[in-house]
Amino acid sequence: MRSGGQVKNGKAFEFAIVKTYASYLQEQGLNVKIEDNRALRNAQKYYLEFPQNIQQIFDNAAFQTIETMVKIEPNLICQTSDNDVLHIQINKDSDGESGDVRDVIFKRYHPSWEIGFSAKNNNDAIKHSRLGRTLDFGMKWLGVPCTKQYMDDIKPIFDYLEGVIKEQVTWQELGMDKVEKVYCPLLKAFADEIFRIDQNNPDIPSKLVEYLIGKHPFYKVIKDDTHNMVVVKAFNIKGKLNKNAKLEVARYRTPKINMPTRIIEFAPKENSETTYNMVLDGGWEISFRIHNASTLVERSLKFDIQLLGNPPILFTQHLFQ
């Protein structure tokens, strides 16, 4: 699980985006409807738990993106009739499990149009998937079941964990055993299996990236307090973003990006016992860091998966506050 602080901050930023965009667009005389659902109420609860000065920081970061976004997506501000309403909603967390990484959705029905934001608060992780004895990552991630060889390779790792779980041992108490008996062999088994699946099935690199960044095109909005800025990235998959409005042309262009076709390298990160880095063609690079997500030893381990590199043509704008 992500830490409670990460969840709280991330949800509060999502609510700040909804609140700030709705307020701005309504001030422009546009019809806006915020969809009331459990995800919205949950995000609002976290937002309101912060003092007003922190809420203002979230609001300022969200507001900082508006000028850029209306130039990229003129449908945000182009209302064609009194019946044309901009709907804003927060996605359920379960949507992420099904391949939709978008947190905030903007949608019109007349005419039909939709974009989404993946909102990140001081964090650029793209997935937190798990590996376990019975977890078939191949099927879940790529639509291809893991091989018997992989299951045989990981069996002694999870047999070892079962033994220490009975003793209520913490990960810290395992010392170097957690590296030598768990992290390193599990990462190697995972990498070996990725290569096996890739050799025997088509389109694995593109399926892997689609699983990690989502099946829908989206804008990633990263609030970066360390550098006092907000970063906007346009993952214009298949060219579905950045559409002209009926009454206005997009003033910024976000190039269509293509999925990778080849895994060039997948190997341990230098001087790291917990991370493998994958390099693919087209500028894609992914980091897979394995870690324990709890104090006590448990039956699965969690990845922190980061996108280290993306196609160089990907639209990226740094907005300094």
Side-chain angles (χ1 to χ4, degrees):
M1 294 287 291
R2 285 184 293 161
S3 71
Q6 278 184 313
V7 171
K8 181 177 179 178
N9 280 277
K11 295 296 182 186
F13 187 36
E14 291 174 23
F15 182 77
I17 289 173
V18 172
K19 168 179 172 283
T20 304
Y21 270 74
S23 176
Y24 173 84
L25 294 169
Q26 286 168 340
E27 287 174 3
Q28 310 308 306
L30 302 176
N31 294 333
V32 178
K33 180 180 180 182
I34 298 175
E35 299 294 340
D36 184 18
N37 59 19
R38 182 179 296 179
L40 176 76
R41 293 191 294 272
N42 189 41
Q44 182 180 30
K45 176 178 72 73
Y46 284 124
Y47 174 88
L48 293 174
E49 288 176 2
F50 285 100
Q52 286 192 352
N53 64 313
I54 303 300
Q55 293 177 15
Q56 190 63 52
I57 292 173
F58 285 116
D59 293 347
N60 289 344
F63 186 81
Q64 194 73 17
T65 67
I66 292 177
E67 182 180 357
T68 292
M69 288 309 308
V70 297
K71 291 177 179 177
I72 298 174
E73 295 288 349
N75 281 288
L76 280 168
I77 56 169
C78 286
Q79 181 175 306
T80 59
S81 70
D82 291 341
N83 295 324
D84 184 6
V85 178
L86 178 68
H87 297 258
I88 308 177
Q89 72 179 56
I90 294 181
N91 258 357
K92 304 185 298 295
D93 287 342
S94 58
D95 291 325
E97 290 298 315
S98 62
D100 189 350
V101 302
R102 301 173 302 172
D103 299 308
V104 181
I105 305 293
F106 299 84
K107 182 184 296 187
R108 292 188 184 278
Y109 294 99
H110 308 289
S112 178
W113 168 84
E114 178 179 307
I115 63 168
F117 289 178
S118 171
K120 299 291 184 181
N121 182 80
N122 296 316
N123 164 39
D124 199 15
I126 52 177
K127 280 285 185 181
H128 298 276
S129 304
R130 285 184 177 269
L131 295 180
R133 182 198 295 272
T134 60
L135 298 177
D136 188 340
F137 81 85
M139 180 58 72
K140 183 175 181 179
W141 298 20
L142 307 168
V144 178
C146 287
T147 64
K148 182 178 182 301
Q149 180 65 59
Y150 170 73
M151 294 302 182
D152 289 345
D153 289 345
I154 66 172
K155 183 178 184 302
I157 301 169
F158 290 101
D159 284 347
Y160 166 73
L161 290 179
E162 284 293 340
V164 297
I165 284 171
K166 295 175 183 177
E167 301 171 12
Q168 293 286 293
V169 174
T170 67
W171 286 103
Q172 185 175 0
E173 288 169 340
L174 289 185
M176 282 305 295
D177 278 357
K178 71 180 177 185
V179 173
E180 296 170 358
K181 296 184 178 181
V182 183
Y183 292 172
C184 287
L186 186 56
L187 278 169
K188 184 177 185 306
F190 170 72
D192 289 346
E193 183 68 356
I194 288 284
F195 280 124
R196 274 191 293 268
I197 292 174
D198 183 43
Q199 288 170 359
N200 296 300
N201 298 276
D203 304 321
I204 294 304
S206 62
K207 289 178 180 178
L208 176 61
V209 170
E210 183 177 280
Y211 166 75
L212 294 175
I213 70 169
K215 58 188 178 182
H216 299 281
F218 66 97
Y219 292 94
K220 180 176 283 191
V221 180
I222 307 164
K223 175 175 168 284
D224 183 350
D225 293 334
T226 301
H227 300 97
N228 197 31
M229 68 180 180
V230 184
V231 182
V232 175
K233 296 184 177 184
F235 286 84
N236 195 2
I237 302 165
K238 300 177 182 177
K240 292 185 176 181
L241 297 176
N242 196 210
K243 300 296 186 184
N244 292 333
K246 185 174 182 180
L247 304 176
E248 189 167 338
V249 174
R251 294 170 61 186
Y252 290 167
R253 281 300 168 194
T254 65
K256 171 186 172 183
I257 60 171
N258 295 316
M259 295 291 103
T261 61
R262 182 166 57 96
I263 298 174
I264 298 170
E265 182 181 274
F266 193 21
K269 177 183 177 182
E270 188 175 355
N271 299 321
S272 174
E273 296 166 321
T274 62
T275 305
Y276 270 47
N277 286 347
M278 177 185 288
V279 179
L280 305 103
D281 63 340
W284 296 97
E285 185 174 355
I286 304 163
S287 166
F288 296 82
R289 182 178 70 86
I290 201 85
H291 65 104
N292 49 281
S294 64
T295 301
L296 290 174
V297 175
E298 55 184 353
R299 291 176 175 82
S300 65
L301 286 95
K302 201 168 191 179
F303 272 127
D304 179 78
I305 304 175
Q306 303 263 352
L307 188 62
L308 301 182
N310 47 246
I313 63 169
L314 185 140
F315 176 93
T316 302
Q317 188 165 81
H318 297 80
L319 304 168
F320 293 92
Q321 299 189 70

